[in-house]
Amino acid sequence: MALALRCLRPLPSLLHRSSFAVGRGLPQAPRACPALLLEGCRQCAQQMLPSRQLATKKAKGKGQSQAKVNISAALVEDIINLEQTNEDMQAVIEALKEDFNRNLNVRTSPGALDHITVMTKDGKFPLNQLGQISQKSPQLMIVNMTSFPESTAAAAKAIRESGMNLNPEVDGTVIRVPVPKVTREHRESLAKLAKQSTNKSKEALRKVRSKSITQVKKFKNKVSEDTIWLLEKQIQQMADEAATEMDKLLAVKTKELLG
């Protein structure tokens, strides 16, 4: 492992000379580097050095996308944790999916009320931990608050303010929740909410990207310019791919809501 790490140390300087290396052939690893036997150094250079030149050539062609950068996370782990950046972006996507599934449905079901947050004097709790939720009929849901009667009013308020277009009625410790008729106006309202949720998620995604790029720029005086350029490009590609996935989720949800 120590020998392999020693082999990777010359990488920034190799990257720095990439504009010359491409024309003259790939740079060789140091003679003392045992990774030559495994073609480790040469393989890393083949993966990273040509990337910028290829991207530049493709960018000249109108309508052509730039070459994709794919840097090994292990090679740059001292600069940034690319795997963590990817996980943070995926978490934003998963949060959007959860929001779509939980709050933006044409047909309201008992499960849709489960995670409505109720503010009580003892803190915040999901509605399904305070009351028993059941479907009385296609047009009516019931929330039985017998176990926590003191939280009945708070639960009704949480349901009313959930953004699900529900108007609960309190009768003792029982909350009746009429299910509204699905109208075209209601469908369009939900579609607008889906668009708003997607925009908020994209803003969260941009924050992840900006944070990662800021982290990379902290090393601009320690590694080559090409290394910084390649990392910034890869982070942008990751963000673009995540944004594209969000757009696909929105398209599917909008079609579902509008029918």
PDB file of all heavy atoms in Angstrom, residues 112-144:
ATOM      1  N   ALA A 112     -51.263   8.661   3.853  1.00  0.00           N
ATOM      2  CA  ALA A 112     -50.800  10.007   3.538  1.00  0.00           C
ATOM      3  C   ALA A 112     -50.771  10.897   4.777  1.00  0.00           C
ATOM      4  O   ALA A 112     -50.076  11.915   4.803  1.00  0.00           O
ATOM      5  CB  ALA A 112     -51.700  10.634   2.477  1.00  0.00           C
ATOM      6  N   LEU A 113     -51.499  10.511   5.822  1.00  0.00           N
ATOM      7  CA  LEU A 113     -51.548  11.321   7.049  1.00  0.00           C
ATOM      8  C   LEU A 113     -50.508  10.881   8.082  1.00  0.00           C
ATOM      9  O   LEU A 113     -50.261  11.604   9.048  1.00  0.00           O
ATOM     10  CB  LEU A 113     -52.942  11.223   7.689  1.00  0.00           C
ATOM     11  CG  LEU A 113     -54.152  11.610   6.841  1.00  0.00           C
ATOM     12  CD1 LEU A 113     -55.423  11.497   7.687  1.00  0.00           C
ATOM     13  CD2 LEU A 113     -54.006  13.004   6.284  1.00  0.00           C
ATOM     14  N   ASP A 114     -49.910   9.716   7.867  1.00  0.00           N
ATOM     15  CA  ASP A 114     -49.030   9.126   8.878  1.00  0.00           C
ATOM     16  C   ASP A 114     -47.965  10.071   9.399  1.00  0.00           C
ATOM     17  O   ASP A 114     -47.727  10.155  10.603  1.00  0.00           O
ATOM     18  CB  ASP A 114     -48.351   7.864   8.320  1.00  0.00           C
ATOM     19  CG  ASP A 114     -49.307   6.681   8.265  1.00  0.00           C
ATOM     20  OD1 ASP A 114     -50.408   6.793   8.838  1.00  0.00           O
ATOM     21  OD2 ASP A 114     -48.947   5.669   7.651  1.00  0.00           O
ATOM     22  N   HIS A 115     -47.296  10.754   8.494  1.00  0.00           N
ATOM     23  CA  HIS A 115     -46.117  11.527   8.884  1.00  0.00           C
ATOM     24  C   HIS A 115     -46.380  13.033   9.014  1.00  0.00           C
ATOM     25  O   HIS A 115     -45.432  13.806   9.060  1.00  0.00           O
ATOM     26  CB  HIS A 115     -44.976  11.271   7.901  1.00  0.00           C
ATOM     27  CG  HIS A 115     -44.576   9.833   7.820  1.00  0.00           C
ATOM     28  ND1 HIS A 115     -43.864   9.216   8.832  1.00  0.00           N
ATOM     29  CD2 HIS A 115     -44.823   8.881   6.893  1.00  0.00           C
ATOM     30  CE1 HIS A 115     -43.665   7.947   8.511  1.00  0.00           C
ATOM     31  NE2 HIS A 115     -44.238   7.724   7.343  1.00  0.00           N
ATOM     32  N   ILE A 116     -47.645  13.408   9.058  1.00  0.00           N
ATOM     33  CA  ILE A 116     -47.943  14.809   9.368  1.00  0.00           C
ATOM     34  C   ILE A 116     -47.411  15.105  10.764  1.00  0.00           C
ATOM     35  O   ILE A 116     -47.684  14.377  11.717  1.00  0.00           O
ATOM     36  CB  ILE A 116     -49.463  15.076   9.300  1.00  0.00           C
ATOM     37  CG1 ILE A 116     -49.940  15.012   7.854  1.00  0.00           C
ATOM     38  CG2 ILE A 116     -49.808  16.425   9.922  1.00  0.00           C
ATOM     39  CD1 ILE A 116     -51.433  15.252   7.694  1.00  0.00           C
ATOM     40  N   THR A 117     -46.637  16.149  10.885  1.00  0.00           N
ATOM     41  CA  THR A 117     -46.002  16.471  12.167  1.00  0.00           C
ATOM     42  C   THR A 117     -46.934  17.306  13.037  1.00  0.00           C
ATOM     43  O   THR A 117     -47.444  18.341  12.609  1.00  0.00           O
ATOM     44  CB  THR A 117     -44.688  17.245  11.937  1.00  0.00           C
ATOM     45  OG1 THR A 117     -43.821  16.444  11.136  1.00  0.00           O
ATOM     46  CG2 THR A 117     -44.012  17.551  13.265  1.00  0.00           C
ATOM     47  N   VAL A 118     -47.130  16.834  14.261  1.00  0.00           N
ATOM     48  CA  VAL A 118     -48.013  17.519  15.215  1.00  0.00           C
ATOM     49  C   VAL A 118     -47.164  18.158  16.308  1.00  0.00           C
ATOM     50  O   VAL A 118     -46.328  17.489  16.933  1.00  0.00           O
ATOM     51  CB  VAL A 118     -49.024  16.535  15.839  1.00  0.00           C
ATOM     52  CG1 VAL A 118     -49.945  17.279  16.816  1.00  0.00           C
ATOM     53  CG2 VAL A 118     -49.827  15.835  14.747  1.00  0.00           C
ATOM     54  N   MET A 119     -47.358  19.434  16.526  1.00  0.00           N
ATOM     55  CA  MET A 119     -46.633  20.148  17.573  1.00  0.00           C
ATOM     56  C   MET A 119     -47.443  20.072  18.874  1.00  0.00           C
ATOM     57  O   MET A 119     -48.542  20.592  18.969  1.00  0.00           O
ATOM     58  CB  MET A 119     -46.425  21.616  17.192  1.00  0.00           C
ATOM     59  CG  MET A 119     -45.748  22.448  18.279  1.00  0.00           C
ATOM     60  SD  MET A 119     -44.070  21.888  18.658  1.00  0.00           S
ATOM     61  CE  MET A 119     -43.212  22.543  17.221  1.00  0.00           C
ATOM     62  N   THR A 120     -46.882  19.394  19.875  1.00  0.00           N
ATOM     63  CA  THR A 120     -47.533  19.278  21.177  1.00  0.00           C
ATOM     64  C   THR A 120     -46.668  19.957  22.241  1.00  0.00           C
ATOM     65  O   THR A 120     -45.553  20.381  21.955  1.00  0.00           O
ATOM     66  CB  THR A 120     -47.734  17.791  21.555  1.00  0.00           C
ATOM     67  OG1 THR A 120     -46.454  17.219  21.879  1.00  0.00           O
ATOM     68  CG2 THR A 120     -48.360  17.013  20.401  1.00  0.00           C
ATOM     69  N   LYS A 121     -47.162  20.007  23.444  1.00  0.00           N
ATOM     70  CA  LYS A 121     -46.397  20.629  24.516  1.00  0.00           C
ATOM     71  C   LYS A 121     -45.144  19.829  24.861  1.00  0.00           C
ATOM     72  O   LYS A 121     -44.213  20.344  25.489  1.00  0.00           O
ATOM     73  CB  LYS A 121     -47.267  20.791  25.759  1.00  0.00           C
ATOM     74  CG  LYS A 121     -47.754  19.478  26.346  1.00  0.00           C
ATOM     75  CD  LYS A 121     -48.615  19.720  27.574  1.00  0.00           C
ATOM     76  CE  LYS A 121     -49.085  18.404  28.188  1.00  0.00           C
ATOM     77  NZ  LYS A 121     -49.908  18.620  29.403  1.00  0.00           N
ATOM     78  N   ASP A 122     -45.137  18.562  24.454  1.00  0.00           N
ATOM     79  CA  ASP A 122     -43.980  17.692  24.722  1.00  0.00           C
ATOM     80  C   ASP A 122     -43.034  17.591  23.525  1.00  0.00           C
ATOM     81  O   ASP A 122     -42.059  16.841  23.568  1.00  0.00           O
ATOM     82  CB  ASP A 122     -44.456  16.292  25.113  1.00  0.00           C
ATOM     83  CG  ASP A 122     -45.259  16.300  26.407  1.00  0.00           C
ATOM     84  OD1 ASP A 122     -44.849  17.012  27.337  1.00  0.00           O
ATOM     85  OD2 ASP A 122     -46.288  15.598  26.467  1.00  0.00           O
ATOM     86  N   GLY A 123     -43.312  18.332  22.451  1.00  0.00           N
ATOM     87  CA  GLY A 123     -42.467  18.297  21.269  1.00  0.00           C
ATOM     88  C   GLY A 123     -43.237  17.917  20.015  1.00  0.00           C
ATOM     89  O   GLY A 123     -44.468  17.902  20.010  1.00  0.00           O
ATOM     90  N   LYS A 124     -42.479  17.608  18.944  1.00  0.00           N
ATOM     91  CA  LYS A 124     -43.096  17.251  17.670  1.00  0.00           C
ATOM     92  C   LYS A 124     -43.196  15.733  17.529  1.00  0.00           C
ATOM     93  O   LYS A 124     -42.257  15.015  17.861  1.00  0.00           O
ATOM     94  CB  LYS A 124     -42.259  17.811  16.505  1.00  0.00           C
ATOM     95  CG  LYS A 124     -42.180  19.321  16.474  1.00  0.00           C
ATOM     96  CD  LYS A 124     -41.328  19.762  15.286  1.00  0.00           C
ATOM     97  CE  LYS A 124     -41.233  21.280  15.218  1.00  0.00           C
ATOM     98  NZ  LYS A 124     -40.396  21.726  14.074  1.00  0.00           N
ATOM     99  N   PHE A 125     -44.376  15.279  17.030  1.00  0.00           N
ATOM    100  CA  PHE A 125     -44.596  13.842  16.848  1.00  0.00           C
ATOM    101  C   PHE A 125     -45.364  13.597  15.551  1.00  0.00           C
ATOM    102  O   PHE A 125     -46.222  14.409  15.171  1.00  0.00           O
ATOM    103  CB  PHE A 125     -45.401  13.260  18.018  1.00  0.00           C
ATOM    104  CG  PHE A 125     -44.716  13.350  19.348  1.00  0.00           C
ATOM    105  CD1 PHE A 125     -44.930  14.445  20.180  1.00  0.00           C
ATOM    106  CD2 PHE A 125     -43.857  12.345  19.766  1.00  0.00           C
ATOM    107  CE1 PHE A 125     -44.294  14.534  21.412  1.00  0.00           C
ATOM    108  CE2 PHE A 125     -43.222  12.427  20.998  1.00  0.00           C
ATOM    109  CZ  PHE A 125     -43.441  13.528  21.823  1.00  0.00           C
ATOM    110  N   PRO A 126     -45.068  12.470  14.857  1.00  0.00           N
ATOM    111  CA  PRO A 126     -45.868  12.101  13.684  1.00  0.00           C
ATOM    112  C   PRO A 126     -47.297  11.809  14.134  1.00  0.00           C
ATOM    113  O   PRO A 126     -47.521  11.265  15.225  1.00  0.00           O
ATOM    114  CB  PRO A 126     -45.183  10.840  13.162  1.00  0.00           C
ATOM    115  CG  PRO A 126     -43.803  10.889  13.733  1.00  0.00           C
ATOM    116  CD  PRO A 126     -43.939  11.563  15.067  1.00  0.00           C
ATOM    117  N   LEU A 127     -48.256  12.139  13.300  1.00  0.00           N
ATOM    118  CA  LEU A 127     -49.666  11.954  13.655  1.00  0.00           C
ATOM    119  C   LEU A 127     -49.990  10.507  13.989  1.00  0.00           C
ATOM    120  O   LEU A 127     -50.771  10.232  14.914  1.00  0.00           O
ATOM    121  CB  LEU A 127     -50.549  12.430  12.496  1.00  0.00           C
ATOM    122  CG  LEU A 127     -52.062  12.304  12.693  1.00  0.00           C
ATOM    123  CD1 LEU A 127     -52.522  13.121  13.905  1.00  0.00           C
ATOM    124  CD2 LEU A 127     -52.802  12.744  11.441  1.00  0.00           C
ATOM    125  N   ASN A 128     -49.360   9.556  13.268  1.00  0.00           N
ATOM    126  CA  ASN A 128     -49.692   8.147  13.509  1.00  0.00           C
ATOM    127  C   ASN A 128     -49.185   7.622  14.852  1.00  0.00           C
ATOM    128  O   ASN A 128     -49.520   6.512  15.250  1.00  0.00           O
ATOM    129  CB  ASN A 128     -49.188   7.267  12.365  1.00  0.00           C
ATOM    130  CG  ASN A 128     -47.678   7.284  12.223  1.00  0.00           C
ATOM    131  OD1 ASN A 128     -46.990   8.069  12.880  1.00  0.00           O
ATOM    132  ND2 ASN A 128     -47.162   6.418  11.379  1.00  0.00           N
ATOM    133  N   GLN A 129     -48.332   8.417  15.540  1.00  0.00           N
ATOM    134  CA  GLN A 129     -47.906   8.027  16.890  1.00  0.00           C
ATOM    135  C   GLN A 129     -48.868   8.544  17.961  1.00  0.00           C
ATOM    136  O   GLN A 129     -48.824   8.093  19.098  1.00  0.00           O
ATOM    137  CB  GLN A 129     -46.498   8.545  17.169  1.00  0.00           C
ATOM    138  CG  GLN A 129     -45.407   7.859  16.366  1.00  0.00           C
ATOM    139  CD  GLN A 129     -44.025   8.304  16.772  1.00  0.00           C
ATOM    140  OE1 GLN A 129     -43.846   8.984  17.782  1.00  0.00           O
ATOM    141  NE2 GLN A 129     -43.024   7.935  15.980  1.00  0.00           N
ATOM    142  N   LEU A 130     -49.698   9.480  17.577  1.00  0.00           N
ATOM    143  CA  LEU A 130     -50.641  10.080  18.536  1.00  0.00           C
ATOM    144  C   LEU A 130     -52.056   9.568  18.370  1.00  0.00           C
ATOM    145  O   LEU A 130     -52.813   9.482  19.347  1.00  0.00           O
ATOM    146  CB  LEU A 130     -50.638  11.607  18.382  1.00  0.00           C
ATOM    147  CG  LEU A 130     -49.295  12.309  18.597  1.00  0.00           C
ATOM    148  CD1 LEU A 130     -49.433  13.806  18.297  1.00  0.00           C
ATOM    149  CD2 LEU A 130     -48.797  12.107  20.022  1.00  0.00           C
ATOM    150  N   GLY A 131     -52.417   9.241  17.143  1.00  0.00           N
ATOM    151  CA  GLY A 131     -53.789   8.806  16.895  1.00  0.00           C
ATOM    152  C   GLY A 131     -53.862   7.601  15.977  1.00  0.00           C
ATOM    153  O   GLY A 131     -52.904   7.292  15.252  1.00  0.00           O
ATOM    154  N   GLN A 132     -54.986   6.915  16.009  1.00  0.00           N
ATOM    155  CA  GLN A 132     -55.224   5.763  15.145  1.00  0.00           C
ATOM    156  C   GLN A 132     -55.968   6.243  13.898  1.00  0.00           C
ATOM    157  O   GLN A 132     -57.076   6.759  13.986  1.00  0.00           O
ATOM    158  CB  GLN A 132     -56.043   4.704  15.870  1.00  0.00           C
ATOM    159  CG  GLN A 132     -56.286   3.442  15.067  1.00  0.00           C
ATOM    160  CD  GLN A 132     -57.093   2.406  15.834  1.00  0.00           C
ATOM    161  OE1 GLN A 132     -57.458   2.641  17.002  1.00  0.00           O
ATOM    162  NE2 GLN A 132     -57.365   1.281  15.202  1.00  0.00           N
ATOM    163  N   ILE A 133     -55.335   6.070  12.741  1.00  0.00           N
ATOM    164  CA  ILE A 133     -55.885   6.590  11.491  1.00  0.00           C
ATOM    165  C   ILE A 133     -56.549   5.448  10.719  1.00  0.00           C
ATOM    166  O   ILE A 133     -55.974   4.377  10.541  1.00  0.00           O
ATOM    167  CB  ILE A 133     -54.778   7.223  10.625  1.00  0.00           C
ATOM    168  CG1 ILE A 133     -54.012   8.275  11.437  1.00  0.00           C
ATOM    169  CG2 ILE A 133     -55.366   7.847   9.366  1.00  0.00           C
ATOM    170  CD1 ILE A 133     -52.767   8.790  10.745  1.00  0.00           C
ATOM    171  N   SER A 134     -57.763   5.688  10.250  1.00  0.00           N
ATOM    172  CA  SER A 134     -58.479   4.662   9.495  1.00  0.00           C
ATOM    173  C   SER A 134     -59.329   5.311   8.405  1.00  0.00           C
ATOM    174  O   SER A 134     -59.611   6.511   8.440  1.00  0.00           O
ATOM    175  CB  SER A 134     -59.375   3.830  10.425  1.00  0.00           C
ATOM    176  OG  SER A 134     -60.324   4.674  11.063  1.00  0.00           O
ATOM    177  N   GLN A 135     -59.716   4.497   7.415  1.00  0.00           N
ATOM    178  CA  GLN A 135     -60.553   4.980   6.307  1.00  0.00           C
ATOM    179  C   GLN A 135     -61.975   4.501   6.559  1.00  0.00           C
ATOM    180  O   GLN A 135     -62.275   3.315   6.500  1.00  0.00           O
ATOM    181  CB  GLN A 135     -60.032   4.420   4.986  1.00  0.00           C
ATOM    182  CG  GLN A 135     -60.743   4.960   3.759  1.00  0.00           C
ATOM    183  CD  GLN A 135     -59.988   6.091   3.081  1.00  0.00           C
ATOM    184  OE1 GLN A 135     -58.765   6.097   3.061  1.00  0.00           O
ATOM    185  NE2 GLN A 135     -60.718   7.053   2.537  1.00  0.00           N
ATOM    186  N   LYS A 136     -62.863   5.443   6.871  1.00  0.00           N
ATOM    187  CA  LYS A 136     -64.258   5.103   7.153  1.00  0.00           C
ATOM    188  C   LYS A 136     -65.014   4.797   5.869  1.00  0.00           C
ATOM    189  O   LYS A 136     -65.819   3.868   5.806  1.00  0.00           O
ATOM    190  CB  LYS A 136     -64.924   6.267   7.884  1.00  0.00           C
ATOM    191  CG  LYS A 136     -66.343   5.989   8.368  1.00  0.00           C
ATOM    192  CD  LYS A 136     -66.338   5.047   9.554  1.00  0.00           C
ATOM    193  CE  LYS A 136     -67.730   4.929  10.170  1.00  0.00           C
ATOM    194  NZ  LYS A 136     -67.749   3.976  11.301  1.00  0.00           N
ATOM    195  N   SER A 137     -64.738   5.584   4.845  1.00  0.00           N
ATOM    196  CA  SER A 137     -65.342   5.415   3.530  1.00  0.00           C
ATOM    197  C   SER A 137     -64.427   6.105   2.519  1.00  0.00           C
ATOM    198  O   SER A 137     -63.482   6.788   2.911  1.00  0.00           O
ATOM    199  CB  SER A 137     -66.745   6.043   3.495  1.00  0.00           C
ATOM    200  OG  SER A 137     -66.649   7.466   3.550  1.00  0.00           O
ATOM    201  N   PRO A 138     -64.675   5.941   1.217  1.00  0.00           N
ATOM    202  CA  PRO A 138     -63.822   6.615   0.224  1.00  0.00           C
ATOM    203  C   PRO A 138     -63.794   8.130   0.405  1.00  0.00           C
ATOM    204  O   PRO A 138     -62.838   8.782  -0.027  1.00  0.00           O
ATOM    205  CB  PRO A 138     -64.466   6.223  -1.109  1.00  0.00           C
ATOM    206  CG  PRO A 138     -65.128   4.918  -0.832  1.00  0.00           C
ATOM    207  CD  PRO A 138     -65.633   5.033   0.575  1.00  0.00           C
ATOM    208  N   GLN A 139     -64.825   8.674   1.050  1.00  0.00           N
ATOM    209  CA  GLN A 139     -64.913  10.127   1.227  1.00  0.00           C
ATOM    210  C   GLN A 139     -64.594  10.597   2.641  1.00  0.00           C
ATOM    211  O   GLN A 139     -64.672  11.789   2.940  1.00  0.00           O
ATOM    212  CB  GLN A 139     -66.331  10.632   0.857  1.00  0.00           C
ATOM    213  CG  GLN A 139     -66.669  10.557  -0.616  1.00  0.00           C
ATOM    214  CD  GLN A 139     -66.994   9.131  -1.050  1.00  0.00           C
ATOM    215  OE1 GLN A 139     -67.642   8.372  -0.315  1.00  0.00           O
ATOM    216  NE2 GLN A 139     -66.551   8.754  -2.248  1.00  0.00           N
ATOM    217  N   LEU A 140     -64.221   9.664   3.543  1.00  0.00           N
ATOM    218  CA  LEU A 140     -64.018  10.074   4.929  1.00  0.00           C
ATOM    219  C   LEU A 140     -62.938   9.243   5.615  1.00  0.00           C
ATOM    220  O   LEU A 140     -62.940   8.018   5.571  1.00  0.00           O
ATOM    221  CB  LEU A 140     -65.327   9.938   5.715  1.00  0.00           C
ATOM    222  CG  LEU A 140     -65.282  10.351   7.189  1.00  0.00           C
ATOM    223  CD1 LEU A 140     -65.029  11.856   7.318  1.00  0.00           C
ATOM    224  CD2 LEU A 140     -66.578   9.973   7.891  1.00  0.00           C
ATOM    225  N   MET A 141     -61.996   9.951   6.280  1.00  0.00           N
ATOM    226  CA  MET A 141     -60.989   9.305   7.120  1.00  0.00           C
ATOM    227  C   MET A 141     -61.227   9.720   8.566  1.00  0.00           C
ATOM    228  O   MET A 141     -61.729  10.820   8.839  1.00  0.00           O
ATOM    229  CB  MET A 141     -59.574   9.702   6.686  1.00  0.00           C
ATOM    230  CG  MET A 141     -59.136   9.076   5.385  1.00  0.00           C
ATOM    231  SD  MET A 141     -57.399   9.431   4.989  1.00  0.00           S
ATOM    232  CE  MET A 141     -57.485  11.183   4.661  1.00  0.00           C
ATOM    233  N   ILE A 142     -60.838   8.821   9.478  1.00  0.00           N
ATOM    234  CA  ILE A 142     -61.045   9.063  10.906  1.00  0.00           C
ATOM    235  C   ILE A 142     -59.702   8.980  11.634  1.00  0.00           C
ATOM    236  O   ILE A 142     -58.911   8.068  11.396  1.00  0.00           O
ATOM    237  CB  ILE A 142     -62.011   8.030  11.520  1.00  0.00           C
ATOM    238  CG1 ILE A 142     -63.383   8.122  10.863  1.00  0.00           C
ATOM    239  CG2 ILE A 142     -62.117   8.223  13.027  1.00  0.00           C
ATOM    240  CD1 ILE A 142     -64.107   9.431  11.151  1.00  0.00           C
ATOM    241  N   VAL A 143     -59.466   9.949  12.520  1.00  0.00           N
ATOM    242  CA  VAL A 143     -58.284   9.910  13.380  1.00  0.00           C
ATOM    243  C   VAL A 143     -58.770   9.850  14.820  1.00  0.00           C
ATOM    244  O   VAL A 143     -59.362  10.816  15.335  1.00  0.00           O
ATOM    245  CB  VAL A 143     -57.385  11.151  13.186  1.00  0.00           C
ATOM    246  CG1 VAL A 143     -56.145  11.025  14.063  1.00  0.00           C
ATOM    247  CG2 VAL A 143     -56.995  11.319  11.723  1.00  0.00           C
ATOM    248  N   ASN A 144     -58.558   8.694  15.469  1.00  0.00           N
ATOM    249  CA  ASN A 144     -59.003   8.497  16.854  1.00  0.00           C
ATOM    250  C   ASN A 144     -57.878   8.915  17.798  1.00  0.00           C
ATOM    251  O   ASN A 144     -56.818   8.295  17.848  1.00  0.00           O
ATOM    252  CB  ASN A 144     -59.376   7.030  17.065  1.00  0.00           C
ATOM    253  CG  ASN A 144     -60.092   6.796  18.385  1.00  0.00           C
ATOM    254  OD1 ASN A 144     -59.828   7.490  19.368  1.00  0.00           O
ATOM    255  ND2 ASN A 144     -60.985   5.823  18.421  1.00  0.00           N
TER     256      ASN A 144
END
